[in-house]
Amino acid sequence: MKRTGAQIIWESLVRQGVTDVFGYPGGAILPAYDAMLEFPIRHILVRHEQGATHMADGYARASGRVGVAIATSGPGATNMVTGIATAMLDSSPIVCITGQVGSRLIGSDAFQETDITGVTLPITKHNYLVTRADEIAPAIREAFEVAASGRPGPVLIDITKDAQQSSCEFDWDAAAPRPPMFRPDLRPASGQFARAIELINGAERPVILAGHGIIMSGAMDLVREFAERANVPVSTTLLGIGAFPPSHPLDLGMMGMHGEAWVNTAIQEADLLLAFGMRFDDRVTGNLKTYAVNARKIHIDIDAAEINKNVKVDVGLVGDLKDVLGQLLPGVARGDRARWLAHIHELRGDCAVRDIQNLPDSGHLYAAHVIHDLWHATGGQAVVVTDVGQHQMWEAQYYRHERPRTLITSGGLGTMGFALPAAIGAKVACPDAEVWVVAGDGGFQMTMAELATIVQEDIDINIAIINNGYLGMVRQWQEFFYERRYAATPLISPDFTKLAGAFGLEGRLVTRRSEVIPAVQAARARRGTVLIEFRVEQEDTVYPMVPAGADLQAMIRRPSPAPIVGTGADAL
Ligand SMILES: Cc1cc2nc3c(=O)[nH]c(=O)nc-3n(C[C@H](O)[C@H](O)[C@H](O)COP(=O)(O)OP(=O)(O)OC[C@H]3O[C@@H](n4cnc5c(N)ncnc54)[C@H](O)[C@@H]3O)c2cc1C
Ligand SMILES: Cc1ncc(C[n+]2csc(CCOP(=O)(O)OP(=O)(O)O)c2C)c(N)n1
Ligand SMILES: [Mg+2]
């Protein structure tokens, strides 16, 4: 059957099972947009191509399916760069399709020409420059395979305008990825299994470090079985939140820079760390020289390059977590680690007296209380998509995610502006889910134009803006490490409720704790997106905090009782 390259793009996407794409048109991709109308695909028109990539990313993280973004050449393509890098750092499978100038014009500084495959080389898992119609279907098939297999990640396909316009025979079967696709042998050596079992069964103070790889592998049940059988407590990374239920008695909570104090202490006292699908990010380890020096380490990861990258381990098992755990489990003995668990329980008790949830609010509205109440009012069932900053850490600490894929957040790149578009993507992927944006006043302003996308595409999510009048996380660093010299961190914002109104959305302002739950409930009850601005304590601090590069146990702790400085309401 003869097809144009433009038709082949959509035909291939449909055959890949794609139903939704996020994009923005322009000259070099116009043939593809013209052909799109013939295909059963929902196109979500974004307001900035960065938004399209975050939407594709949010779609992928919420559903496990590959997200798709599409843009024109030049500025359209370069606007995608931040979103592609965000997906790369967090191993999120997206496919980005960009139009390119005609193949004869490549290299001539043609109108809207950018070498986007060159630009994105270090931030894609793989990318393609396609100059002929008959190369389109094979590139798309392979791109989906590359994006979703092994360690997932972003793939970009740059397609010249003439490739879209010319015609060729379309043969889907012939376009199948040609063997041999590179497939590393992921079977760990059996000696390594025996060593791992020996270390696990002999450990007295083990801790599981549960990472994002558990969620990507779908290994939640196996991790739980492992933890229960061996009686090993489980801590999670930021991206591992949802991999193990916080209601479980063996759950410890988050590790790392803003992790729970008892978790970091337990890691430093452990005699065995079991790293499951996590990559020992520097936000997790602090000073590598003093990190868990008394612990043996077992690392299970699908990417061999992660083993011994940051932390030297005793046993590295390369493979899909589900497979590896399935093979390990039969050898794992029932463990009684009552003394170790009792010790951690004691550490926890010491922390509770400093926990802001146990301190009176004295009439002030704290972000941590807002998050706690949001958790309560949504029954802990919402998909929460956060932006980056203090509010992100409070969300991680105080919204308890029982299920995987219910916290969507930019961890590795820490991309402000991520939340609103990623939440739109999550909602498109999971229309029945209750989706909340939790964003700071700073990050929200980076991509708030996507409010128009919400209106045009009839997206039903809710938005909580945690407005502290500052680029709060940076202000916190200035408070601790730059003698409170607040250079460029105080921030004015538009009247967010009026902004919502300008887009035809409902907006509400909340300044008191008593109003939080009623406002959340009202937003939930209303069809359509509601934006709630929570005007919170301005100079509040995320505790604990391990200063960057410091020893993990050297945490700055919340003084008890919490000092109170100014309020959001005072600033009105
Ligand atoms: C302001 C800010 C503060 C932060 N503070 C903290 C903090 O206090 N604590 C914290 O934990 N993080 C924190 N982070 C996040 C941190 O930067 C990292 O993003 C996070 O620690 C990474 O978690 P991860 O290793 O589980 O996930 P990823 O970085 O996604 O790594 C996942 C790993 O799993 C592997 N994998 C993938 N699929 C499979 C599979 N099928 N089987 C086996 N393995 C697989 C991958 O190869 C990879 O090694 C912070 C981020 C920001 C922006
Ligand atoms: C695109 C981008 N620019 C800069 C930063 C550095 N940065 C990290 S957190 C932060 C402040 C975020 O402020 P806000 O959105 O108001 O959230 P808050 O910390 O106040 O909760 C900044 C500027 C970043 N992470 N991303
Ligand atoms: Mg702020």
Side-chain angles (χ1 to χ4, degrees):
M1 175 185 19
K2 248 191 155 41
R3 295 286 217 180
T4 64
Q7 289 172 320
I8 291 173
I9 293 175
W10 300 108
E11 183 74 47
S12 303
L13 292 176
V14 169
R15 288 182 189 239
Q16 281 298 145
V18 174
T19 49
D20 312 276
V21 304
F22 306 92
Y24 205 88
I29 196 72
L30 214 42
Y33 268 87
D34 184 59
M36 180 177 77
L37 299 174
E38 302 156 24
F39 292 87
I41 289 224
R42 177 181 183 194
H43 178 271
I44 288 103
L45 177 66
V46 304
R47 291 300 178 273
H48 187 293
E49 293 85 350
Q50 180 186 350
T53 48
H54 291 326
M55 288 178 207
D57 188 348
Y59 183 98
R61 295 192 205 212
S63 66
R65 304 195 297 273
V66 176
V68 181
I70 182 162
T72 193
S73 65
T78 54
N79 273 351
M80 288 181 139
V81 166
T82 302
I84 295 172
T86 304
M88 183 70 179
L89 270 269
D90 291 347
S91 298
S92 186
I94 64 171
V95 168
C96 297
I97 296 173
T98 46
Q100 180 55 284
V101 300
S103 52
R104 295 232 189 96
L105 294 172
I106 285 182
S108 72
D109 294 336
F111 178 63
Q112 298 199 323
E113 180 189 2
T114 305
D115 173 9
I116 198 64
T117 47
V119 170
T120 59
L121 188 70
I123 52 166
T124 46
K125 195 172 163 191
H126 193 46
N127 67 26
Y128 304 80
L129 171 60
V130 175
T131 56
R132 287 185 3 208
D134 63 356
E135 293 171 346
I136 292 175
I140 291 180
R141 278 195 88 154
E142 196 175 275
F144 274 77
E145 168 101 16
V146 171
S149 62
R151 179 179 184 167
V155 178
L156 179 133
I157 314 170
D158 196 28
I159 308 177
T160 59
K161 194 165 183 179
D162 50 324
Q164 298 170 48
Q165 286 165 325
S166 57
S167 299
C168 69
E169 265 316 301
F170 175 69
D171 183 346
W172 182 245
D173 294 332
R178 283 178 299 272
M181 273 271 288
F182 172 66
R183 289 206 185 278
D185 182 2
L186 293 179
R187 283 165 306 170
S190 60
Q192 295 280 293
F193 273 109
R195 179 81 182 114
I197 296 286
E198 189 188 329
L199 290 177
I200 294 162
N201 292 344
E204 289 176 6
R205 300 185 305 282
V207 176
I208 290 173
L209 310 178
H212 193 196
I214 298 173
I215 297 171
M216 288 187 272
S217 169
M220 286 73 66
D221 290 346
L222 284 173
V223 171
R224 190 177 171 145
E225 199 180 329
F226 184 106
E228 286 174 355
R229 173 153 349 145
N231 246 319
V232 181
V234 181
S235 62
T236 62
T237 64
L238 176 68
L239 297 185
I241 287 176
F244 195 77
S247 58
H248 196 286
L250 286 169
D251 177 73
L252 296 183
M254 188 170 78
M255 65 184 92
M257 179 177 273
H258 294 294
E260 308 292 359
W262 65 84
V263 181
N264 290 340
T265 306
I267 288 170
Q268 292 300 70
E269 292 180 358
D271 67 354
L272 178 68
L273 294 183
L274 292 145
F276 291 170
M278 56 81 74
R279 61 181 175 87
F280 291 108
D281 183 270
D282 54 71
R283 260 47 190 163
V284 158
T285 60
N287 182 359
L288 284 169
K289 288 208 178 75
T290 57
Y291 180 68
V293 282
N294 298 319
R296 297 297 182 88
K297 288 146 196 126
I298 300 174
H299 191 179
I300 308 178
D301 202 289
I302 202 161
D303 185 353
E306 289 297 341
I307 311 284
N308 291 319
K309 185 181 84 177
N310 295 333
V311 171
K312 290 265 164 293
V313 298
D314 298 86
V315 178
L317 299 172
V318 178
D320 179 66
L321 196 64
K322 228 162 142 179
D323 297 343
V324 178
L325 280 183
Q327 289 178 64
L328 268 181
L329 258 171
V332 174
R334 301 215 164 265
D336 170 22
R337 295 186 164 101
R339 270 181 60 189
W340 175 229
L341 295 172
H343 173 62
I344 298 176
H345 191 69
E346 255 171 55
L347 296 172
R348 244 177 140 134
D350 168 56
C351 296
V353 293
R354 298 169 189 252
D355 188 340
I356 190 164
Q357 302 302 341
N358 296 329
L359 297 171
D361 61 25
S362 327
H364 299 257
L365 185 60
Y366 291 106
H369 288 163
V370 173
I371 303 290
H372 174 277
D373 291 357
L374 177 67
W375 165 67
H376 196 73
T378 54
Q381 293 301 309
V383 172
V384 183
V385 187
T386 82
D387 219 78
V388 170
Q390 290 185 311
H391 62 280
Q392 177 188 27
M393 295 298 109
W394 282 312
E395 204 288 346
Q397 293 175 343
Y398 294 114
Y399 197 107
R400 295 158 65 84
H401 293 270
E402 293 287 327
R403 293 177 297 124
R405 302 189 185 279
T406 59
L407 170 58
I408 296 177
T409 193
S410 166
L413 201 67
T415 307
M416 286 171 68
F418 174 80
L420 181 63
I424 294 172
K427 183 68 183 181
V428 171
C430 305
D432 298 333
E434 176 179 356
V435 178
W436 278 83
V437 170
V438 171
D441 42 335
F444 189 76
Q445 292 187 60
M446 286 199 167
T447 52
M448 64 190 181
E450 302 303 343
L451 287 173
T453 307
I454 286 181
V455 176
Q456 183 161 350
E457 301 293 338
D458 195 18
I459 306 283
D460 186 0
I461 59 175
N462 288 311
I463 301 167
I465 297 181
I466 308 296
N467 184 358
N468 52 11
Y470 277 103
L471 298 173
M473 185 53 95
V474 180
R475 189 208 58 74
Q476 171 166 343
W477 282 52
Q478 291 170 328
E479 177 186 336
F480 284 155
F481 314 119
Y482 293 87
E483 298 169 333
R484 292 180 186 260
R485 289 151 63 88
Y486 293 159
T489 43
L491 181 75
I492 67 151
S493 294
D495 180 329
F496 286 116
T497 53
K498 279 199 186 141
L499 182 81
F503 283 96
L505 299 171
E506 162 127 340
R508 282 179 89 119
L509 175 65
V510 168
T511 57
R512 286 190 184 73
R513 176 122 195 225
S514 58
E515 300 161 359
V516 175
I517 289 184
V520 169
Q521 294 298 21
R524 298 181 80 214
R526 193 184 154 93
R527 203 199 158 289
T529 294
V530 176
L531 181 155
I532 312 175
E533 174 188 351
F534 295 95
R535 215 165 282 176
V536 298
E537 184 75 12
Q538 292 201 289
E539 295 190 36
D540 195 3
T541 313
V542 180
Y543 291 108
M545 178 175 191
V546 182
D551 303 343
L552 195 59
Q553 73 277 7
M555 289 164 276
I556 306 173
R557 303 284 303 279
R558 180 183 291 279
S560 181
I564 289 163
V565 197
T567 70
D570 293 343
L572 284 176

